[in-house]
Amino acid sequence: QVQLVESGGGLVQAGGSLRLSCAASGSIFSIYVMGWYRQVPGKQRELVATLTNNGRTNFADSVKDRFTISRDNAKKTVDLQMNSLKIEDTAVYYCYGNLRSGALRPFSDYWGQGTQVTVSA
């Protein structure tokens, strides 16, 4: 079935940069939204950035001046370029997709397994 596979997480010093990538695979007819959420222990998962298939973006206020999101519809990938990273950006980052697996199928939400991003002083 549909899978979202993330890569690019790791440890980075504050002020540095990191790029996360996510590839969707499986039975996919069309993807409406791809993006990224993040979660820290004890808190609810929160939106980081999303990008629709027609170019509409949505960013969390805390990251909109530092992060950029892009997607390749042909390759079914979405990237998150994170610059000027802060300690507060430390979290597990999850790839998100809203897609349908066929023309007669409903759109559904899918999640990646999560990748750890740790920003140190």
Side-chain angles (χ1 to χ4, degrees), residues 6-50:
E6 300 142 310
S7 62
L11 176 65
V12 65
Q13 196 171 18
S17 298
L18 203 63
R19 185 179 69 89
L20 305 182
S21 298
C22 173
S25 62
S27 299
I28 299 174
F29 179 77
S30 63
I31 305 175
Y32 175 44
V33 181
M34 295 191 78
W36 296 89
Y37 288 69
R38 66 187 182 187
Q39 188 171 29
V40 298
K43 293 193 174 183
Q44 188 175 349
R45 190 172 299 182
E46 66 176 4
L47 176 139
V48 178
T50 58

Side-chain angles (χ1 to χ4, degrees), residues 28-94:
I28 299 174
F29 179 77
S30 63
I31 305 175
Y32 175 44
V33 181
M34 295 191 78
W36 296 89
Y37 288 69
R38 66 187 182 187
Q39 188 171 29
V40 298
K43 293 193 174 183
Q44 188 175 349
R45 190 172 299 182
E46 66 176 4
L47 176 139
V48 178
T50 58
L51 179 59
T52 68
N53 59 2
N54 54 15
R56 293 186 177 93
T57 59
N58 189 19
F59 289 93
D61 288 340
S62 60
V63 309
K64 63 175 55 180
D65 295 329
R66 301 180 293 118
F67 293 8
T68 58
I69 187 170
S70 61
R71 64 187 278 183
D72 187 325
N73 291 329
K75 297 169 65 175
K76 292 176 286 188
T77 60
V78 61
D79 292 351
L80 183 70
Q81 179 64 48
M82 304 184 293
N83 300 319
S84 302
L85 281 162
K86 305 175 180 179
I87 294 176
E88 308 93 87
D89 295 318
T90 296
V92 177
Y93 284 70
Y94 295 90

